[in-house]
Amino acid sequence: MDLLRFAIIGSVDDGKSTLIGRLLNDTRQLFEDQIAALEAVSRRRGLSEVELAFVTDGLRAEREQGITIDVAYRYAATPRRKLVIADCPGHVQYTRNMATGASNADLAVVVVDASAGLKEQTRRHLCISALLGVTEVLLCVNKMDLVDWSQEAFERAVEEVEDLADHLTITGVTAIPISALHGDNVAEPSDRSPWYGGPTVFEALDSAKVGEPVSGGGRMPVQWVVRHRDGRAYAGMISGGPLRVGEEVLVLPSRRSSRIASLSTFDGEFEEAWPGQSVTVVLADDLDVARGDMLAAAVDPPDTVTELEATVCWFADRPLQAGDRYRVKHTTRSCAAIVQAVEGRLDVNHLKVGPAERLAANDIGLIRLAVATPLAVDSYRRNRTTGSFVIVDESTNATLGAAMVGQPVMSPV
Amino acid sequence: MTAIRIDDLHSATSLSHLDMLESQAVFIMREVAAECERPVLLFSGGKDSAVLLRLAEKAFRPGRFPFPVMHVDTGHNFAEVLAFRDRRMADLGEQLIVASVEESIRSGRVADPGPGASRNRLQSVTLLDAVAAHGFDACIGGARRDEDKARAKERVLSFRDSFGQWDPRNQRPELWQLYQGRVRPGEHLRAFPLSDWTELDVWSYIAREQIELPPIYYAHDRAVIERDGMLLAVCEWVRPRPGETIFEETVRFRTVGDATCTGAVRSTASTIDEVIAEIRTSRVTERGATRADDRFSDSSMEDRKREGYF
Ligand SMILES: Nc1nc2c(ncn2[C@@H]2O[C@H](COP(=O)(O)OP(=O)(O)OP(=O)(O)O)[C@@H](O)[C@H]2O)c(=O)[nH]1
Ligand SMILES: [Mg+2]
């Protein structure tokens, strides 16, 4: 049984939370006490029917305002796989929370309102998801009941999203006409769309292809130095590879080399370790290795840089501009950084990076950064872990932006 | 120690679901230990904190834990749970701090809600006082997102301001596995390594790792009363009120907390496998089945969390 992590994205009020509520309800994955609580709160708020969006809109402010503010995580299953669902907010003000939910997703479920055109916020969400590395999209054309189940309206929406996907690094779009409110084509096929012969949302989630994560050369950022009987050992999570016993590795940024003498966990020793595993490494030589350093396959190491170019999603109200000082957290290392230049801002409607002096809240842009300590980086396209970092306020410690090493990959419309 | 077979590990995607959850939780604990100056692991004596202790062993053995363990003790305990706590801590040889709600009442920090009333909410004050007194900057807890609709919204590293408050409208963005753990003096973090675990995952892990739990998690005969649709164990703090009668039932507990508000469920599941089979077919959530305090208000968990609850 495998695992599918998906983020449900799209513009505000297009029906994302309603869809999750509907999906869980109609596949009997809500519990009796949850249903009773939903009925009670809906009644108390004077609604004639159960508000399905309240399945995930669990905060008081969300229920009062009828919008999602922050990501809700839900755990469910299809016959073939486990699902980790991130129900993201659509409102532009909460783009930071949408990015949080999409950053670990294998698949994006995009909800668009059939009765409205493709909105700028939907384009932004698709851009961010593609930049974050999501290559598969499940498009749910929602509120089909409002357009009399018009096949034309459905096809228009699909065409708009496919057009956009062609310019992004999205390789697959599966499209389904639905009504989240009434449950058509969500868990059960609908007889209101005789012209549609494809899967329901539930079936599509069950069978969605998920791109294998690119793992490239062996890497392990050092998290924790363990004092061992025979010297020191280094604990961390493998983030590329495999790494194998006997293999030559470089300690970055110092570039000293050694061999892996052993790989182990609490449960024993083994010969190779794969991305996602938390392990402990002993090296053949006694080198100076600390938290924040990286062990990397000597045959294929990342670049060690003090200046880099990165694609940034900026979340803070205070704009980002040249000369700003921040702290960055990259893998297990934190260091000071100075913005050398804002090289451009992405126009999400035309997918062009145009000139800009600064990035405002919810902008996506390209920046050049100087860092106080050398960082071992891959391009984000090659490695999501060694190619990403966050930008942090030095005094408040607030997370202000998320950055991906390299230029945005997309072609202008 | 048994060696992992290499053919179990031939690709990243072949790491089992439990292996992935374990590996992530170990990663989170190590990040907190490394990024924070004075973390503490919160231990309630329940199944989730029993799992946390095993994960701490996985993260830090053969070394010692880089943090003490703290029990926020309501004084309304099941005897089996205290015995389990002390046995487990003795086995581990780690430091245990007990922060006592009784003490907070005696020193006048909180008003005594009276004999038999739940002290669940008072724990927040005791916890925050202990955080301040010890200078803790991170509390590692066993809360899971599948437990409650407010918890479903919470970050893995969840920021608390200098009043100990959670602001659900203004959480730190948390992308990838970049857990950002810095705080200023007086502020602290809550860290939840089990965020993505479900109740079933926890039990599957308990089965796989043969983790010992307090015996009240398994079916046993007990004198109970029925109150607000829940079965409460008769004990020093729970006495029948007029109209309530004591009767004997075969029950087990799905969660462990303050004895005055933690309900038992009718069950004959007396082994781990039987419990797992029962959970698979259960139509009621763990909190819905067992927590009186969450029944009264629609947002009681959110309210408590805003005030500094676990
Ligand atoms: N007619 C119709 N209305 C729908 C449908 N799906 C959702 N709605 C309504 O659209 C409104 C917004 O739904 P939500 O599910 O809260 O939208 P959302 O996309 O989650 O919004 P945010 O999370 O705030 O971005 C609600 O009033 C829903 O009842 C549908 O299929 N048909
Ligand atoms: Mg929503």
Side-chain angles (χ1 to χ4, degrees):
Chain A
M1 192 146 158
D2 69 352
L3 178 74
L4 178 72
R5 289 179 164 269
F6 70 90
I8 174 152
I9 62 170
S11 189
V12 64
D13 271 353
D14 284 0
K16 299 179 291 300
S17 300
T18 306
L19 173 57
I20 295 306
R22 171 59 70 192
L23 185 77
L24 295 176
N25 183 68
D26 291 9
T27 56
R28 293 183 43 81
Q29 299 195 66
L30 293 180
F31 292 87
E32 283 165 11
D33 54 310
Q34 291 175 328
I35 294 171
L38 285 172
E39 285 169 352
V41 68
S42 302
R43 224 178 301 120
R44 215 173 313 137
R45 289 177 185 270
L47 306 168
S48 54
E49 296 202 38
V50 168
E51 178 54 70
L52 290 165
F54 287 176
V55 170
T56 52
D57 286 345
L59 299 174
R60 194 178 324 117
E62 293 179 323
R63 292 179 168 192
E64 278 162 9
Q65 293 164 43
I67 65 164
T68 304
I69 291 172
D70 212 328
V71 198
Y73 295 92
R74 294 284 308 210
Y75 307 86
T78 66
R80 278 190 50 239
R81 51 169 49 140
K82 286 185 188 262
L83 304 176
V84 178
I85 305 170
D87 179 22
C88 297
H91 196 288
V92 64
Q93 193 185 333
Y94 304 119
T95 305
R96 58 179 192 275
N97 299 334
M98 172 271 168
T100 293
S103 66
N104 291 314
D106 309 311
L107 171 86
V109 174
V110 183
V111 176
V112 301
D113 179 344
S115 66
L118 190 61
K119 298 171 192 161
E120 175 169 332
Q121 184 62 356
T122 314
R123 304 178 76 92
R124 184 186 317 276
H125 276 193
L126 274 162
C127 281
I128 292 174
S129 303
L131 290 174
L132 287 170
V134 173
T135 56
E136 293 290 321
V137 162
L138 178 59
L139 168 62
C140 295
V141 180
N142 190 31
K143 308 199 184 183
M144 288 299 295
D145 52 299
L146 296 183
V147 295
D148 285 333
W149 287 91
S150 147
Q151 183 176 1
E152 243 190 339
F154 172 69
E155 279 166 1
R156 206 164 40 236
V158 175
E159 211 172 292
E160 281 185 308
V161 170
E162 280 179 343
D163 268 357
L164 178 59
D166 281 346
H167 294 268
L168 301 170
T169 46
I170 291 170
T171 49
V173 178
T174 305
I176 309 178
I178 66 166
S179 170
L181 191 61
H182 302 296
D184 301 87
N185 294 326
V186 176
E188 296 294 331
S190 172
D191 49 19
R192 296 194 182 86
S193 51
W195 41 267
Y196 173 75
T200 62
V201 176
F202 192 61
E203 289 165 346
L205 290 172
D206 188 54
S207 61
K209 277 200 314 288
V210 183
E212 278 284 303
V214 196
S215 46
R219 283 156 188 33
M220 191 195 83
V222 175
Q223 257 194 304
W224 184 256
V225 178
V226 187
R227 276 166 229 301
H228 224 244
R229 297 175 248 88
D230 18 284
R232 296 187 307 162
Y234 310 103
M237 185 183 275
I238 305 288
S239 63
L243 283 175
R244 296 192 170 85
V245 171
E247 179 171 356
E248 189 185 350
V249 289
L250 295 182
V251 178
L252 299 173
S254 74
R255 298 192 73 80
R256 281 196 227 336
S257 91
S258 183
R259 284 184 187 281
I260 295 182
S262 77
L263 285 166
S264 63
T265 64
F266 180 82
D267 296 297
E269 296 202 3
F270 38 93
E271 290 298 311
E272 53 181 14
W274 288 81
Q277 273 191 290
S278 287
V279 300
T280 302
V281 178
V282 175
L283 296 179
D285 306 278
D286 187 19
L287 302 180
D288 178 15
V289 182
R291 171 173 167 87
D293 290 343
M294 189 184 298
L295 307 181
V299 291
D300 183 16
D303 295 331
T304 307
V305 300
T306 51
E307 278 181 26
L308 55 98
E309 195 175 44
T311 304
V312 172
C313 298
W314 191 247
F315 304 133
D317 289 330
R318 158 159 64 104
L320 172 145
Q321 51 197 4
D324 284 356
R325 295 180 60 101
Y326 298 107
R327 198 160 54 75
V328 298
K329 185 176 184 192
H330 170 256
T331 66
T332 55
R333 164 157 292 171
S334 288
C335 70
I338 297 178
V339 180
Q340 294 179 301
V342 173
E343 298 190 326
R345 195 178 73 94
L346 181 75
D347 168 353
V348 296
N349 289 315
H350 301 96
L351 303 183
K352 267 198 278 274
V353 178
E357 299 268 290
R358 58 183 63 83
L359 298 181
N362 309 313
D363 278 350
I364 301 165
L366 187 64
I367 65 167
R368 178 157 280 285
L369 204 64
V371 287
T373 322
L375 299 180
V377 299
D378 288 290
S379 72
Y380 184 79
R381 297 263 293 158
R382 182 147 193 260
N383 189 311
R384 278 199 195 193
T385 306
T386 54
S388 60
F389 58 95
V390 288
I391 301 174
V392 178
D393 188 299
E394 282 186 303
S395 62
T396 65
N397 300 307
T399 304
L400 307 174
M404 291 155 275
V405 176
Q407 302 199 350
V409 182
M410 51 185 62
S411 55
V413 178
Chain B
M1 286 217 262
T2 52
I4 296 176
R5 288 204 322 277
I6 294 168
D7 53 338
D8 286 343
L9 296 170
H10 64 277
S11 106
T13 46
S14 82
L15 277 187
S16 77
H17 182 56
L18 280 184
D19 290 334
M20 268 182 336
L21 290 173
E22 175 190 81
S23 176
Q24 271 168 12
V26 164
F27 178 81
I28 292 161
M29 283 208 185
R30 288 174 175 161
E31 278 303 276
V32 172
E35 290 245 312
C36 301
E37 281 176 15
R38 278 193 68 72
V40 63
L41 187 147
L42 301 179
F43 178 77
S44 68
K47 64 183 185 313
D48 302 305
S49 41
V51 166
L52 278 186
L53 287 182
R54 169 57 52 90
L55 291 166
E57 291 183 270
K58 298 234 173 180
F60 302 111
R61 292 291 186 243
R64 288 178 59 86
F65 293 178
F67 37 67
V69 174
M70 183 162 80
H71 179 213
V72 179
D73 179 357
T74 64
H76 291 163
N77 296 295
F78 295 96
E80 296 91 330
V81 175
L82 282 189
F84 167 72
R85 177 194 78 185
D86 294 339
R87 192 165 61 246
R88 191 74 187 99
M89 291 313 300
D91 286 350
L92 286 168
E94 300 287 345
Q95 184 198 350
L96 175 72
I97 299 170
V98 177
S100 152
V101 173
E102 197 75 55
E103 199 58 52
S104 302
I105 293 172
R106 227 172 314 163
S107 65
R109 283 287 292 144
V110 293
D112 190 346
S118 163
R119 293 177 170 180
N120 204 10
R121 197 159 188 150
L122 305 186
Q123 290 182 92
S124 304
V125 175
T126 307
L127 172 61
L128 292 178
D129 284 353
V131 165
H134 294 272
F136 294 132
D137 57 356
C139 302
I140 302 169
R144 310 187 318 266
R145 286 172 174 155
D146 80 328
E147 281 180 78
D148 173 88
K149 59 192 182 307
R151 282 197 167 146
K153 297 261 163 186
E154 195 164 11
R155 300 282 186 260
V156 172
L157 289 202
S158 186
F159 178 77
R160 296 292 183 277
D161 68 13
S162 47
F163 298 95
Q165 298 176 109
W166 180 51
D167 181 1
R169 302 193 56 152
N170 197 16
Q171 302 195 78
R172 282 183 182 173
E174 184 171 76
L175 287 91
W176 304 292
Q177 297 210 65
L178 283 170
Y179 300 113
Q180 213 263 99
R182 289 215 188 166
V183 293
R184 292 180 290 194
E187 301 168 342
H188 72 282
L189 293 171
R190 301 294 169 83
F192 301 115
L194 305 183
S195 286
D196 276 341
W197 297 49
T198 62
E199 185 187 16
L200 189 58
D201 293 329
V202 166
W203 274 102
S204 306
Y205 192 70
I206 288 165
R208 184 178 97 173
E209 300 285 321
Q210 294 294 307
I211 295 172
E212 187 199 334
L213 296 181
I216 64 173
Y217 275 105
Y218 303 102
H220 56 287
D221 292 333
R222 195 176 269 273
V224 295
I225 54 162
E226 189 161 350
R227 184 177 295 168
D228 302 324
M230 283 197 326
L231 298 179
L232 294 180
V234 176
C235 60
E236 198 183 327
W237 315 281
V238 179
R239 294 274 156 220
R241 294 175 185 160
E244 292 173 345
T245 51
I246 299 180
F247 54 101
E248 185 93 355
E249 253 324 322
T250 304
V251 297
R252 66 175 205 91
F253 288 85
R254 259 174 97 176
T255 64
V256 162
D258 184 304
T260 60
C261 67
T262 304
V265 294
R266 288 187 177 85
S267 169
T268 55
S270 57
T271 65
I272 299 180
D273 288 342
E274 285 168 10
V275 170
I276 290 177
E278 183 185 282
I279 293 168
R280 275 188 198 285
T281 56
S282 172
R283 299 296 310 145
V284 182
T285 66
E286 143 186 336
R287 295 197 86 82
T290 62
R291 289 300 173 96
D293 47 339
D294 287 340
R295 297 197 160 191
F296 299 121
S297 152
D298 184 42
S299 52
S300 43
M301 175 64 88
E302 181 182 341
D303 294 340
R304 268 181 284 136
K305 285 188 83 66
R306 282 171 175 273
E307 292 169 1
Y309 190 70
F310 303 110

